[in-house]
Every structure is written in C-alpha cells, then in structure tokens.
Amino acid sequence: MERRDPNTVDLSNETLRIADDVLVWPVRERGELVYRIEIPKLHRFFRVGPNEYALISLLDGQMTLPQACGIAASKLGGEAPTSTQAKSIARWLLTNEIAHLRSEPTPTRQQTTSRRFRKSGPGKSHRPVMRLLGKLNPFWMKVPLSNGAQSRGQRYLHACTQWAIPIFALPPVILGLMLIVSAMLGLSMNWSEFTQDSVTLFHAYHWLALFGTWLLLKMLHEWAHAVACVRHGGTIGESGIAFVLFAPLAYVDVTSCWRMPSRWSRISISSAGMYIELIVASIAFWGWMFIDAPLIQSLCRNTVFAAGFSTLLFNANVLMRFDGYFIFSDFIEVPNLASEASLWLRSLSKRILAGDAMVPSEFYGWRRFVIALYGIAALAWRVLICVTLLIAASVMFSGAGIVLAAIGIVTWLYGPLLGLRKFYLDLKHGSPIRFARSLV
C-alpha cells in the first residue's frame, strides 16, 4: 500500500498511531526532562520535550489529532501545543516514520536501505533492485563478521573487551592525555626533521607496510569503541569489515550508547577510537626520536602518519559520519544530525521547485541554523568525496576503473532519480500549475 505524502494529508479527521517498534524513555539533559525516541532497526534516535511528548503519547490510533490536542490542553493548560504546532508535530512524526496513519500499515523497516529510498522514492517493486545495487556498490560494501549476541564472533569480541576496561578509567586516561600532549610538543619542535624523513613515506615500496599499519590501527580503533561502550554499560551490536573502493575498514556497532542518559558518556565512547590511535601515534613518535634503527624509525613514521594525521583528517571530520560527527551531534544535542540536515535540504528543494511548505522540525533557533549549514557543507563534501573516488577508480584500475566508476554512478543515482521521477509524476497529476512552475 502506497503511503501518502505527510504534507498533503488532512490531519483534522485522521487518526495517528505510534509505530509498534518505536521505543520512548525519559532522560534529563542539562537538568531538563526530555524524551528520547528510538527506532531500533534503523538505529535512529530523536528527542522531544515534555509538552510534545504529552501530545504524542495520546496518539493511539483511536482519537483524532484535535481530540488529542484537547486532552493535552486540559492537562498542560497554556503550555500545551497549539493546533498549528500539533499538526507540525504530527507531520514530523509521519515524515520520520515514528508514527503512521491508522488507515495505513505500520512502516516496514529496511535497515540497509537509505532513508530517501524509503520515504519519497519508488514503489515496492523497485526496492529489491535498490537493495541489490547497494550490496554490489564497489565503493561501499559491508561484510558482517558477527551479528547478534549469541554469535561466536560477538562472544570473542565481548571477551576481548572485558580485560581492557580499566584503560579507560580516569588515571590512565589522564596519563594518556599527558603522553599525547608531550608528543605533540615534541613533534612541533622537530617538525622539519620529521617531515624531511617522511618524504619517502609515499614511495611504492612503502605502500604495503603503510597499508598494513593502517589496517591494524583501524581494527584497534574499533576495538577501543567497543571497550568504552561496555565500560559505560552498553552492548555491542554488529561488527565486521567495510570495503571502501576495496580498501578494508573495520567497523563495530555501538548504537546502544544512545540509550545512555549522559551525553558525555556517549562523547567518550565516540572519542575512544581516536584517543587510542593518538596514544599509539605518540608512542611511535618517541620511538622515532630515541631509537636509532632505520627499520624501527620507518615503522614509527608509518604509525605516526596512519594513527595521527589520517585520524585527525578523517575520523575527526564532522562532515563524515565518523567519530567527529557523533561527537559534534552530541555536543550540540541534535540526534540524527545528518538525517535532519538531509531532510531540510530535500524540503528546501521541494519548496523551491514546487512551492511546498517546509517540513516542520523539532529544532529552532541556532540549532536549526546549524542543521541548515551542516546540510549544505555535508552535501558539498559528499559530492567531493564521490568525485574523488570516481577519479581514483578510473586511474587505479585503468579500463576496469571506468566500469567501476559507471557502477558507482548507477548505484548512487538510481534511487534518487526514481524518487525524482515519482515526485514529478505525482506533481503532474495532482497540481499541473505547480508542475509547470517546477519545470521552469
């Protein structure tokens, strides 16, 4: 059954129901009570205030939105959401698949399918094709090694984290930070000598050693996330290897940290991987300084580059969905920052093309400005990365690279183009004037 566009639904007579798999629980942030909303299968989290939750909790599929507004007003008085605000909240719930209309089935969760495919994209007949394209994309492929608490890989990973929990206690962390600061000061004072020695780093005969060092460090990086998560009482989800242009990257799912009430616990988990890599880079730097052996110095240079510079360039980059992104998202208290920014961009595009109203957001003030700015910057960065990967594939694999680039273009654009086609067909049948405007 095709779902209706939340912006075209008349909410005056419709009844809404919170999806069966949605979890909600209260937490305190900066001394204020808020409610977290989780869609477990999609690893998505949202937050709402107590007044919004008072309205949301009444959406049981039995009463209409105006009836829910009336009951909320009797309980909250002047602090209850107005009729206009209630409609905005309802459309936000529908847009994010937190709730659904009673006349429609509960949303089908496809964890491996991107949000734009589920929302405004093509019908069900195209979904298997898109899932297949996603799995065959040579620029991003995932190979799970453990999935579920009872899997053998999961038990091994959990056992490996238990003995290492004390390294994230406060005294070792303070000592580690002192080591990192001392190494940074030492590197700044010996910068010219270090960079001069590093000229040979990118020679072909060093690539294999550099790649091996980098791969081991990334495995250590993900293991550190798992250790920190377990230390704070979280559980470890799926873990495995992701291939970016056939280059392997380890990954581990520590999404359970979003159930923790303290954002500083979540930030410490997100920082754990970079922290461990910087510790290793600091030890390697002092090894390069004091061990007078060419082979050891070469290995130390490789380690400083792979664990230091590359970590700060990629993992700390807030525009990529790595550690820096999650730290930034938690710091400004905007869960699902990337999804909110993407939703804002699509809403802005529809407003420019067809005159649609902007999709309401739970965020206002400076946070809404940050979301908009992040959406523009992340889109520009994503385009840059995609173009860079296409060029790299074409150059590295000669004729085969052209084929890989073509496959990448198809997998990236297939879903969005089908979604755009559906948008224009719906617009043409529903509003010919707006359709003509969008073409102009």
Side-chain angles (χ1 to χ4, degrees):
M1 180 179 179
E2 192 71 21
R3 296 189 182 278
R4 286 178 283 174
D5 186 344
N7 293 315
T8 64
V9 175
D10 181 8
L11 296 171
S12 301
N13 299 311
E14 290 283 356
T15 55
L16 277 71
R17 177 183 174 86
I18 301 300
D20 295 335
D21 61 343
V22 169
L23 302 178
V24 183
W25 67 95
V27 295
R28 287 201 169 271
E29 293 182 356
R30 297 183 178 180
E32 297 181 358
L33 178 67
V34 298
Y35 288 83
R36 290 248 176 86
I37 301 174
E38 178 186 3
I39 306 178
K41 289 185 179 179
L42 301 182
H43 300 305
R44 271 204 212 142
F45 294 81
F46 309 87
R47 63 187 285 277
V48 294
N51 297 336
E52 291 83 358
Y53 175 72
L55 175 68
I56 293 172
S57 63
L58 298 171
L59 302 178
D60 57 359
Q62 300 299 321
M63 65 177 67
T64 64
L65 190 62
Q67 290 172 333
C69 275
I71 295 176
S74 67
K75 294 180 179 179
L76 301 175
E79 295 183 353
T82 64
S83 176
T84 302
Q85 290 172 336
K87 289 181 179 179
S88 296
I89 293 170
R91 296 191 197 283
W92 175 76
L93 293 171
L94 293 171
T95 300
N96 289 287
E97 296 185 340
I98 300 170
H100 61 96
L101 300 175
R102 184 185 178 186
S103 57
E104 297 178 353
T106 190
T108 301
R109 313 301 190 186
Q110 296 292 344
Q111 182 175 347
T112 58
T113 306
S114 73
R115 183 182 185 188
R116 61 176 177 267
F117 293 163
R118 289 192 310 273
K119 293 303 302 169
S120 58
K124 294 181 180 178
S125 61
H126 296 285
R127 290 175 185 170
V129 178
M130 291 183 293
R131 287 198 290 270
L132 178 61
L133 287 174
K135 292 180 180 179
L136 297 179
N137 188 347
F139 296 93
W140 178 259
M141 292 184 289
K142 287 174 63 176
V143 180
L145 299 179
S146 67
N147 192 359
Q150 301 304 317
S151 66
R152 179 177 297 180
Q154 196 76 347
R155 292 197 298 270
Y156 287 155
L157 178 61
H158 186 75
C160 290
T161 61
Q162 293 299 313
W163 65 268
I165 287 177
I167 68 175
F168 288 106
L170 184 59
V173 168
I174 292 176
L175 291 175
L177 292 175
M178 292 172 61
L179 175 64
I180 293 171
V181 171
S182 69
M184 293 176 68
L185 291 174
L187 181 61
S188 65
M189 291 186 290
N190 297 273
W191 180 254
S192 59
E193 183 181 355
F194 184 83
T195 52
Q196 184 178 359
D197 287 348
S198 300
V199 171
T200 61
L201 189 65
F202 297 101
H203 287 181
Y205 55 82
H206 274 159
W207 286 359
L208 184 59
L210 183 62
F211 176 76
T213 303
W214 177 75
L215 181 57
L216 290 173
L217 284 167
K218 293 310 168 186
M219 294 173 64
L220 181 65
H221 179 110
E222 298 303 319
W223 172 78
H225 284 309
V227 173
C229 184
V230 172
R231 182 180 184 274
H232 286 281
T235 57
I236 306 169
E238 182 182 280
S239 60
I241 299 175
F243 292 88
V244 181
L245 198 57
F246 304 113
L249 282 172
Y251 73 89
V252 63
D253 177 12
V254 292
T255 315
S256 64
C257 70
W258 279 99
R259 302 187 187 100
M260 299 174 184
S262 170
R263 61 172 172 158
W264 299 112
S265 296
R266 299 192 297 271
I267 288 175
S268 66
I269 293 171
S270 299
S271 307
M274 291 189 292
Y275 166 75
I276 286 296
E277 284 202 63
L278 291 176
I279 289 289
V280 174
S282 301
I283 295 173
F285 168 74
W286 290 118
W288 172 83
M289 279 283 293
F290 294 111
I291 299 178
D292 190 17
L295 179 60
I296 299 297
Q297 287 189 330
S298 177
L299 290 174
C300 288
R301 280 196 304 272
N302 289 349
T303 304
V304 170
F305 177 81
F309 300 129
S310 66
T311 294
L312 295 176
L313 181 62
F314 294 104
N315 289 101
N317 188 341
V318 299
L319 298 178
M320 305 176 74
R321 297 200 65 175
F322 295 144
D323 304 335
Y325 162 81
F326 293 106
I327 294 171
F328 180 65
S329 175
D330 248 321
F331 186 75
I332 65 173
E333 295 184 326
V334 180
N336 261 11
L337 173 62
S339 297
E340 291 289 341
S342 179
L343 179 62
W344 180 86
L345 281 175
R346 290 198 300 274
S347 179
L348 179 65
S349 301
K350 288 185 177 181
R351 179 172 179 80
I352 293 172
L353 290 175
D356 286 355
M358 292 290 288
V359 174
S361 172
E362 61 168 315
F363 299 101
Y364 299 93
W366 65 268
R367 284 188 176 87
R368 189 157 179 80
F369 173 76
V370 170
I371 289 172
L373 186 63
Y374 181 88
I376 296 170
L379 176 63
W381 179 262
R382 195 178 305 123
V383 170
L384 176 63
I385 290 297
C386 289
V387 171
T388 302
L389 286 174
L390 291 175
I391 295 174
S394 302
V395 173
M396 291 170 59
F397 301 106
S398 301
I402 304 297
V403 177
L404 288 176
I407 295 173
I409 291 173
V410 170
T411 55
W412 283 329
L413 297 182
Y414 178 78
L417 288 177
L418 284 178
L420 187 63
R421 174 179 174 272
K422 181 180 181 299
F423 169 72
Y424 272 110
L425 289 176
D426 291 345
L427 198 61
K428 180 179 179 181
H429 295 304
S431 178
I433 295 178
R434 291 168 61 209
F435 173 73
R437 162 189 164 149
S438 67
L439 292 182
V440 172

